[in-house]
Amino acid sequence: MDLGPAPDSPALQSAEGSRRKDQVETAVDAMPRLDAGRPSKDAMQSSTSLDRDPVLPHYDAWVRKKTEPMPLLAKASALYRAARKAILQIQDLRPSSEGRHLDLHITGKEPFVDERTGRAYIGNTIRSSRYTLGTFLPRQLFAQFSKLANFFFLCVAILQMIPALSTTGTYTTIAPLLFFVSLSMAKEGYDDWRRYKLDKVENARHVSVLRPERSATSSARKGSPRITADPPTLRWTTTAWRDVRVGEVVSILRDEAAPADLVLLHAEGPKGTAYIETMALDGETSLKSKQACAALSQRCSDVDGLARCDAHLVVEDPNLDLYNFEGRVTVAGETTALTNNDIIYRGSILRNTEKAFGVAVYTGEECKIRMNATKNPRVKAPALQARMNQVVFIIVVFVIALAVYSTAANRIWHERTEVKSWYLDHAGVAFFQILSSFIIMFNTLIPLSLYVGLEIVKLAQIYFMNDVDMYDELSNTPMEPRTSTINEDLGQVSYIFSDKTGTLTENSMRFRKLSVAGHACIHDFDLLEEAAAQAARPALRHKKRKEEKRPTEHRIVDERSNSWRKGSQTAFAKDAVTADVSEITTHDFPSASRSPKSGRAQPELRTAALLRYLQRKPQTLIARKVRFLLLAMALCHTCLPETREDGSVDFQAASPDEVALVRAAQEMGYLLVDRSHSTITIRFLQEGPDHESEYEVYEILDVIEFSSQRKRMSIVVRFPNRQICIFCKGADTTLIPLLRRSSLAAEKALEVERRVNVRKSLEAQEVIRRNSETFSRKNSLTRPSMSMGRTSVNMGRPSIGGATRPSLNLHRLQPIRDEIDHWLTSREHDVDMHSLEESVYYTPRTSGHFRAGRASLASDLRSAFQEEIDDDWFDESTISDEGLVYERCFQQINDFATEGLRTLLYGYRSLSEPDYATWKKLYADASTSLVDRQEMVEQAAEVIERGLELAGATAIEDKLQKGVPEAMDKLRRAKIKLWMLTGDKRETAINVGHSCRLIKDYSSVTVLDQAVGPVDQQVAVALLDRGRGDIAHAVVVVDGFTLAKIEANETLMSLFLDLAVAVDTVICCRASPGQKASLVRAIRKKVKHSVTLAIGDGANDIAMIQEAHVGIGITGKEGLQAARTSDYSIAQFRFLLKLLLVHGRWNYVRICKYTLGTFWKEMLFYLTQALYQRYTGYTGTSLYESWSLSFFNTLFTSLPVLFLGIFEKDLAASTLLAVPELYARNQRSAHFNMKVYLGWMFMCSTQAMVVFFGMIELYGHVRVSADNGRFAMGVLTFTACVVLISTKLQIIEMHNKSIMAAISCTLSVGGWFLWNILLSMIYHRQTALNVKGGLLQKFGRSSLWWLVLSLIVATCILFELGIASLRSAWYPTDVDLFQEYEQDLLIRKRFEEAASSELQQGWQRGYKKASVELDRAEASAGLEWRPMFAGSPADHGAHVVRRRSGLHHHQNDEDEPRSPTMPPPDRYPNRREEEEETERGGISPGLRDMLATRFGSIQPA
């Protein structure tokens, strides 16, 4: 049932129809300007892809030319597709002649034969794993050797296995290459094997199938079994899902899922109706009614009937369309059509129906939900791999060039030296042979262990990703990585495609607000329970710290920092006001009383106070209005009550919205206890708990059901006093014309709309101004600023020394602290013009402004004047002013819709007996008409649904998962575009978009609907609107039917994608799983270098999860289908924040640094080998001892680069979560690109020359040295490289230094020296290198050798530090600045406050002390609290100053200025008691003293 606002609601439309028509001509004239540089107009007029003249002819022709493939490319593409089909064993099946023919013969044992294949229909086994035994090897070989480095090593290995070419052995490359590739393939195979195990669990679920008890012989004719023996006894057999075959009859019990696609035979529901939940298929929460055709339902009600039924079914071939089904059934010579109403798809769940029978028509991978899944999904590779391939290609070119150069130099040396040397006679080598030798020699510039080390790093990252902050305690579900291949992609996501139901929402509808007699009320019974549960676990705002690591100097704060806590959630006054759960107003429920745009608290009456008013003043006009609204909620619905064993009443309905309404009526005293086809019984909880309940029976005269055209439903009832009344509920735009004073109502609705549009316009202008101001300040260095532009985070360039030593630069740091706090506060709260609207454009809520302060007092005070406040909320004089009531009601409906609530308007009217009798005859004639029945029924309904009195309005919350709106805001700040793809209705999708902040209050919403007009015109107008730059936030809404029309036209699809990329958010509703996947695929191909992420929880999300670069599965209420096929699974959407912003970014930075570090160390080391060739005649002589050379990458330099890739954290988690804008740097590949790579290569080339020429000039050519042979020079160079690699990678590059850095350096450098000691001892015979006793007895005893080593290492390190200092001083990055800001404790704590909700679970489990505990310990040790800013009493952010004469930063306590409202210090000597009490959410002792002074004695709660 549709309970949301109409699509043409003023709150949802961004442009009027007249404006759209006026802009079409502008679009046609303006688009040639967009086509500058494209083919000429005359060259394109000959063809068009549209059925009529295209709106954008130039664009149409340009798209045709761009998408026309080149002949050679087309042939290559066709060859690739053919090879892929052959490898993956993909067969293109021809369609059957007349569809699938099935006979309902239960006793048949031979399987039905598929006409298309000539074999039996496929089984009911599903497979979500990516590989089979036959496809694993070819697909993985292709994936592994698509890495350019592996392909290069394969080519080198082939050369090396030619004996005449290799100088380094035959199998030294191919053997480790095969080993490393096998390891990578084994890891990928293991990940897929885990998916296979989960598939086995799905296929092993049990269901009841009707099968014969003994065998019977049969013979097949025309593909259908025919029984030749006596029919055996039939019984229900429990079998696994995988064993269900086409044609078998299946029994589904209540709350069970369908194992295959079934044609419904019989249902044990009212009128043979089965209610089906299709949430896993299309995301809709409303139940769908399925009804078997009468001929089948009558004959198939039991086992005997099923055995005797001789029915013949003809159904269409398997296809992807979930919303249409075609077939027919012939029973006893009568043929009946089968439609989508007769079929239950696999994964659907039977609800509100005890049992249903169905015959399987599609099984396994031919079920429609599996047809929508991606078959043979692509093997995912990280986006960083493409850039790594570019770097590898450059290195390959460099290796070849270096080999060619060395070969040419060898030829020159041969002509000049070798031919003149008698001892080298006949020693020449052919050109190609020596060229191949040099290629083999220098191929180590690309480390063979690169990808193996990468896999080790990624496996370690998976271990650290098992984060307690991503653990869901309620469901006992941790975050689970299912692959490690694409860890770094988590740090580069630029598009998120999210499902709605079960991913953003909890699949739970809650009645949240109502508007009656111009008064808005909030229904917060469930929120109070949640608040009480949260109060039992007080939240921390800072991480726990060790007491000895809190230097007092960092806590000294100048009182001038008034803006540090301005706007933060910890201000004393705000905590004191909102500490208690109010009985009058609600402050701390984001889903209830706060606008999704700003989180502002609205002063609204609670329904508990409304009920108290009814008890005290039951005869007032307002009380009468309230009772009629509650009675309408209890009567106008289709719910059926069910009494449980414990006596409680539950409700069953097709729509969860109706259940929410009926339950709310029950909670407010109107309990539905019984319903038959003619009566409804209501139990009233009368005037207070001392009175007994009363029962009233209402006679149901007529029910005019809801339809998508009417957008309303009505019920006509007879009261116990015989009065007849009609209750009607529906969308506001539908019911406003039906009100008694409809013209006045329409006038007030337009007035409200005008005010809302003015406010939205002001908000949009403010957002545009803020963005332009941010951009203009991006390069400002005049003061410390934090300007988040489109491409960078710029907070000015404060002094590095000032940032790193805050204790010595207190006053210098304070402006930076203030600016950071101001900037964070402005980003945490969206633009809000409601204050302007309420003061100028908005009629105030009753007593809302002047009562809000009193209503927010502590609960201890309310009991004294509770009744007075309740009465003050209601103004009886306003009820007589219908215009005012209309205005307030419509304004409140608009507010509800803005908050994402699903609104309904209620009306009622009393009917006289003659009027009802006249209408009843008209309605009966329409209901029995054989021509245009539906149209006549709607016309008859309009006769009685008029002249209604306004009863009120209700608002239902599609309850979001915890933290979803906040997560959306932070992801948007991270420059990630968010799309919502759902199969639910448009109105529902838009409402959820508002509540989760995908749609802002000031957003420009463009609804693309092919039913409204030409879609290309709508897209063109939207593109032009977006191009003008006067839209603050653009949203496009498109439904699946319109999207299908768009996808059918190549030009229109390209235009739509241009629009989708240009806007901020896209919402696609009524989308099939295939359409979801196609949108993800289109964006993945359209936006180059973008990383897409798809997240969902149902089977309908599998296709898009497999299609995206990164697939996230939610282990939600729709099952584990999505989680089983995903790359990573989490329990809640909010965990995506830490997964992406923290772990994703860390993984990306670590992988980048690991890769750069690996290339850097290889180039540094082997360039010295290349430089040495000059002194050997370019003969390929090695500078290093062979065994040492073999273990360079494994024993001596593996730990520094691996530890850098495993343990590096360039910024703290709290910083990354508090400032999501830092994530945008990763999307631009700022940590690994050609510029960064060339910078590292410049450094290593310079350092390699310093190392080599320092060695050769300062030691090799010095004659005073005791041993300056090749081995001594090689060890010197080798040692310098090992020390330099460990120092740079573990000390200079690693920001997060720990004991692991010391371990790495010690093992690497110490291991190298230990290795040399072993070499000098184990070499028993003298060789050309003279290794024996080298380090211990020869050059190791030379002070010159150690001096040169020290000079070389020191020079390289100083050069590295100097370049890094100059870069950070003149070209600081965002990371540099925030690393400096993190050095200050106060800034760090401010970041922790902003990220406290995401880091809470980890802090709670820490063994260190919380800030409250540390402050209490310091207070007991003689410390005094000082406010952060003047005039603020003991704020949470207050800091301490040690009482001693040696500190003169502040005045003494006696001279310190105090706020006039604050008591003297002796009033509450233990300030920490107050701080702790306030932080827990209670009334602090200081506040209690102030209130006692004003209102009298107050006892602690």
Side-chain angles (χ1 to χ4, degrees), residues 2 65 174 461 514 556 730 890 1223 1300 1382:
D2 185 2
K65 183 175 181 179
I174 191 64
Q461 290 175 353
L514 61 85
I556 302 173
F890 299 154
Y1223 186 85
M1300 303 307 297
E1382 284 183 347

Side-chain angles (χ1 to χ4, degrees), residues 1421-1496:
L1423 300 176
E1424 176 189 320
W1425 277 90
R1426 183 173 301 283
M1428 177 70 74
F1429 49 86
S1432 171
D1435 178 51
H1436 284 289
H1439 298 272
V1440 294
V1441 179
R1442 190 174 296 276
R1443 264 192 206 166
R1444 63 186 187 205
S1445 58
L1447 289 178
H1448 301 289
H1449 293 86
H1450 298 280
Q1451 302 171 348
N1452 294 329
D1453 295 342
E1454 293 79 6
D1455 301 329
E1456 184 176 305
R1458 300 187 181 276
S1459 171
T1461 62
M1462 291 179 59
D1466 58 343
R1467 197 67 170 274
Y1468 41 95
N1470 191 349
R1471 294 282 184 92
R1472 292 313 310 135
E1473 179 185 353
E1474 177 182 12
E1475 173 70 12
E1476 183 183 11
E1477 183 70 24
T1478 306
E1479 189 163 26
R1480 285 203 306 262
I1483 302 178
S1484 67
L1487 176 61
R1488 189 178 292 115
D1489 290 342
M1490 291 193 303
L1491 295 175
T1493 302
R1494 184 174 179 182
F1495 297 104

Side-chain angles (χ1 to χ4, degrees), residues 180-199:
F180 295 153
V181 168
S182 299
L183 283 181
S184 298
M185 293 173 63
K187 184 185 71 66
E188 188 69 23
Y190 173 74
D191 291 340
D192 205 57
W193 178 71
R194 291 195 301 170
R195 297 188 185 95
Y196 167 74
K197 288 176 60 180
L198 293 173
D199 286 341

Side-chain angles (χ1 to χ4, degrees), residues 1090-1347:
S1090 66
V1091 176
T1092 57
L1093 182 148
I1095 179 171
D1097 71 324
N1100 59 330
D1101 304 316
I1102 292 177
M1104 73 171 182
I1105 285 175
Q1106 293 176 330
E1107 197 62 51
H1109 291 95
V1110 181
I1112 306 292
I1114 299 286
T1115 53
K1117 296 182 180 180
E1118 293 185 25
L1120 298 176
Q1121 298 97 321
R1124 185 171 60 244
T1125 59
S1126 63
D1127 304 306
Y1128 307 90
S1129 64
I1130 54 179
Q1132 296 280 317
F1133 182 87
R1134 71 178 188 275
F1135 296 152
L1136 206 59
L1137 274 181
K1138 194 167 188 184
L1139 182 63
L1140 298 186
L1141 302 186
V1142 179
H1143 291 287
R1145 188 184 189 281
W1146 281 346
N1147 291 343
Y1148 170 71
V1149 171
R1150 289 164 178 168
I1151 295 297
C1152 290
K1153 287 195 173 184
Y1154 165 82
T1155 306
L1156 290 169
T1158 302
F1159 287 138
W1160 172 84
K1161 73 181 182 69
E1162 299 299 319
M1163 189 69 72
L1164 170 71
F1165 184 74
Y1166 287 103
L1167 274 185
T1168 59
Q1169 184 87 293
L1171 292 171
Y1172 181 65
Q1173 297 306 305
R1174 179 189 174 204
Y1175 299 91
T1176 65
Y1178 294 95
T1179 57
T1181 304
S1182 176
L1183 176 62
Y1184 306 113
E1185 190 267 334
S1186 59
W1187 285 101
S1188 301
L1189 187 62
S1190 300
F1191 291 116
F1192 169 76
N1193 280 318
T1194 53
L1195 294 182
F1196 311 129
T1197 61
S1198 60
L1199 288 183
V1201 70
L1202 285 176
F1203 280 24
L1204 179 66
I1206 294 174
F1207 299 109
E1208 169 65 339
K1209 295 180 182 178
D1210 59 338
L1211 290 170
S1214 57
T1215 303
L1216 297 174
L1217 290 169
V1219 189
E1221 289 81 0
L1222 291 166
Y1223 186 85
R1225 179 177 171 84
N1226 306 348
Q1227 298 167 345
R1228 305 188 302 271
S1229 300
H1231 291 274
F1232 189 90
N1233 52 46
M1234 198 56 62
K1235 180 180 177 181
V1236 174
Y1237 170 75
L1238 293 177
W1240 279 67
M1241 292 305 102
F1242 166 77
M1243 295 298 296
C1244 78
S1245 302
T1246 306
Q1247 291 164 341
M1249 289 188 287
V1250 170
V1251 170
F1252 179 78
F1253 289 112
M1255 177 274 297
I1256 204 72
E1257 297 297 334
L1258 298 180
Y1259 183 79
H1261 291 169
V1262 176
R1263 298 185 181 275
V1264 298
S1265 175
D1267 181 7
N1268 59 354
R1270 179 156 62 101
F1271 180 67
M1273 292 189 298
V1275 172
L1276 176 59
T1277 307
F1278 205 119
T1279 305
C1281 290
V1282 170
V1283 174
L1284 185 57
I1285 289 170
S1286 296
T1287 303
K1288 175 180 171 64
L1289 298 183
Q1290 290 296 297
I1291 298 177
I1292 299 177
E1293 288 297 328
M1294 181 172 283
H1295 177 70
N1296 182 47
K1297 299 178 181 63
S1298 64
I1299 189 64
M1300 303 307 297
I1303 293 174
S1304 170
C1305 292
T1306 302
L1307 292 179
S1308 298
V1309 179
W1312 165 244
F1313 281 108
L1314 180 61
W1315 171 261
N1316 277 277
I1317 293 174
L1318 294 176
L1319 282 181
S1320 63
M1321 296 172 60
I1322 63 176
Y1323 265 79
H1324 296 293
R1325 60 185 178 86
Q1326 296 296 326
T1327 61
L1329 284 175
N1330 196 18
V1331 177
K1332 181 68 175 179
L1335 181 63
L1336 294 178
Q1337 300 173 5
K1338 297 178 182 179
F1339 60 83
R1341 296 185 177 185
S1342 172
S1343 58
L1344 179 62
W1345 190 90
W1346 293 100
L1347 178 61

Side-chain angles (χ1 to χ4, degrees), residues 247-286:
E248 290 191 316
V249 175
V250 176
S251 173
I252 312 174
L253 301 180
R254 181 170 180 168
D255 298 330
E256 286 186 351
D261 288 355
L262 311 174
V263 169
L264 185 62
L265 300 177
H266 177 76
E268 295 184 0
K271 301 180 181 179
T273 301
Y275 291 97
I276 305 298
E277 179 186 282
T278 60
M279 199 159 46
L281 278 70
D282 53 23
E284 283 198 56
T285 55
S286 299

